[in-house]
């Protein structure tokens, strides 16, 4: 693990959202359990989630080196350059490096086996560089060591705190409310004992390293035929094998309705400063309603402060443990006798689904987060947004990203630089093969963001 900090004291508050100088070496490798990753439509295109970092080229002292499995469509690059005051100068400070291999999963694993690409990468970076991974694993640590540059992310020695079991430990240490449950279960007997010890007719079992809700299963104690897996094709036999290999938690199933699913995005700088960046309400779908589909900012006012306060306590605990970088925290929110309660669900020590909507919003509007109100403020104007990863239509399949972006402009659902409202699109590389894209709709009110989002979805993806 690289621990040297080449920027010296000035890097202590460094953030990928507001870098003033240096080189961002962006490695959007999906270094995650591949069995679950294969269940996500157009998974490889999720390497494009970090393309919002091209907006950092607004600063003349910033360079970006972006890695990808396959070449990024030139129209996509030009789309992001369209947000910048000097696209020609930005182009001189961008280096795109591709393996040109659609089957290179995960990207970092393949990159480490390509000395020719590694040499190209070495020649593109300078001494003031950070490696910014989508997910940090031992692969990314090995790559950073080979390049001799520091990582903007938590060391793998701390990865346990981003597991479902580790999150429960951190939650206890931070003193935040959580559902009743048991961590680090590994055997079928331990699962059974945990289920019997918990109240209620149903429990939820979550794999330690599951993501996007795909590692979850809801079990009805008295009728196992009602077992409901989030991942299609899963069986109890295959799932218990994963429990033995990866560990899991067993928790009470929250039956309370209505139930809300807020999250918080936080960062810990290399200097150890912990900061909550945003709160969101997640939009979930899938078989059990646990699979991330998108988000709205900010979280609802009824529980926004509670989520923010719990997230801040968790972030401070993780900072004390040496965590660096961006991470997310998911919560349940429900109405209690004394107001709304927020229960910690999990901690994701990685860049997650809410990162690129937040990055797109702050880097196009110049807004800053007001921790007191939980709002993003652009001058005196609060900004709101609604985002999705899952806008798909068969009528988009076969179109090019450039076609769809030009169509969005003609339809009036692009971005208005004067008002700093409108859509910022992403996952554009999934359009030709899958007819799928994502977008973040930014407005000056909750209603404006939601209305623009609904209109854009209707115009591009149908009812």
């Amino acid at each position: 693990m690289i621990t040297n900090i080449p920027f010296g004291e000035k890097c202590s508050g460094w953030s990928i959202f507001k870098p003033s100088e240096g080189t961002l070496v962006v490695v959007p490798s999906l270094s995650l359990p591949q069995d679950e990753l294969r269940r996500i439509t157009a998974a490889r295109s999720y390497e494009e989630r970090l393309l919002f970092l091209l907006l950092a080229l607004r600063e003349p002292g910033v360079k970006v080196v972006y890695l990808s499995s396959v070449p990024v469509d030139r129209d996509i690059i030009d789309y992001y350059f369209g947000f910048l005051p000097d696209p020609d100068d930005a182009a001189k400070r961008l280096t795109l490096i591709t393996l040109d291999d659609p089957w290179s999963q995960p990207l970092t694993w393949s990159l480490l086996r390509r000395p020719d690409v590694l040499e190209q990468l070495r020649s593109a970076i300078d001494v003031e560089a950070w490696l910014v991974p989508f997910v940090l694993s031992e692969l990314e640590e090995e790559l950073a060591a080979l390049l001799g540059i520091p990582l903007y992310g938590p060391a793998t020695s701390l990865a346990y705190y981003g597991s479902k079991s580790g999150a429960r430990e951190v939650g206890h240490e931070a003193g935040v409310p959580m559902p009743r449950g048991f961590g680090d279960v590994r055997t079928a007997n331990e699962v059974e004992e945990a289920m019997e010890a918990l109240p209620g007719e149903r429990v939820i079992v979550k794999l330690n390293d599951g993501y996007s809700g795909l590692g979850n299963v809801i079990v009805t104690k008295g009728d196992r035929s009602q077992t409901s897996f989030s991942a299609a094709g899963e069986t109890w036999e295959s799932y218990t094998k994963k429990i033995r290999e990866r560990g899991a938690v067993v928790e009470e199933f929250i039956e309370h309705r209505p139930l809300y699913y807020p999250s918080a995005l936080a960062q810990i700088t290399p200097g150890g400063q912990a900061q909550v960046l945003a709160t969101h309400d997640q939009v979930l779908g899938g078989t059990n309603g646990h699979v991330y589909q998108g988000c709205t900012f900010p979280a609802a006012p009824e529980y926004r402060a509670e989520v923010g306060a719990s997230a801040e306590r968790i972030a401070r605990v993780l900072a004390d443990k040496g965590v660096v970088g961006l991470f997310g925290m998911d919560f349940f929110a429900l109405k209690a006798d004394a107001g709304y309660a927020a229960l910690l669900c999990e901690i994701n020590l990685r860049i997650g689904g809410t990162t690129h909507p937040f990055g797109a919003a702050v880097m196009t509007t110049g807004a800053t987060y007001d921790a007191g109100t939980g709002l993003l403020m652009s001058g005196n104007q609060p900004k709101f947004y609604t985002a999705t990863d899952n806008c798909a239509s068969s009528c988009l399949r076969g179109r090019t990203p450039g076609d769809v972006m030009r169509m969005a402009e003609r339809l009036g659902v692009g971005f208005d630089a004067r008002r700093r409202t409108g859509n910022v699109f992403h996952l554009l590389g999934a359009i030709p093969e899958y007819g799928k894209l994502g977008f973040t709709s930014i407005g000056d009110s909750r209603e404006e963001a939601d209305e623009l989002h609904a209109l854009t979805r209707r115009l591009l993806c149908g009812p």
Side-chain angles (χ1 to χ4, degrees), residues 99-178:
L99 299 183
D100 204 10
D101 178 5
W103 306 109
S104 57
Q105 291 295 336
L107 169 63
T108 310
W109 183 89
S110 300
L111 175 60
L112 289 168
R113 285 150 181 80
R114 289 284 300 275
D116 57 326
V117 182
L118 285 172
E119 187 55 39
Q120 184 184 1
L121 179 54
R122 283 192 188 94
S123 65
I125 63 177
D126 52 37
V127 292
E128 294 187 344
W130 285 89
L131 193 149
V132 181
F134 182 74
V135 180
L136 201 158
S137 71
E138 292 179 354
L139 296 171
E140 285 70 41
E141 287 187 333
E142 182 180 351
L143 177 61
L146 285 171
L147 298 175
I149 61 176
L151 280 157
Y152 189 68
T156 56
S157 59
L158 302 172
Y160 174 73
Y161 299 114
S163 71
K164 305 300 186 292
S165 297
R168 292 191 64 83
E169 288 189 20
V170 173
H172 281 301
E173 191 172 342
V176 301
M178 292 182 292

Side-chain angles (χ1 to χ4, degrees), residues 365-407:
T365 68
T368 57
Y369 183 68
D370 183 337
T373 62
L375 297 174
L376 275 177
M377 301 299 297
S378 179
N380 295 322
Q381 175 62 57
K383 294 292 180 179
F384 300 76
Y385 58 83
T386 303
T388 182
D389 273 347
N390 288 278
C391 177
S393 172
S394 58
C395 69
L396 294 179
R397 196 174 297 130
R399 308 289 292 272
T400 69
D403 289 340
V404 176
M405 292 303 93
R406 287 186 286 273
M407 179 171 65

Side-chain angles (χ1 to χ4, degrees), residues 43 88 146 152 180 196 211 248 374 395 427 435:
D88 291 337
L146 285 171
Y152 189 68
R180 288 168 287 191
E196 292 307 313
Y211 57 92
C395 69
L427 291 179

Side-chain angles (χ1 to χ4, degrees), residues 22 48 102 133 139 144 166 176 179 210 228-229 245 264-265 338 340-341 349:
E48 295 182 10
L139 296 171
V176 301
S228 179
F229 296 96
E245 295 171 348
L265 177 66
Y340 278 80
L349 283 185

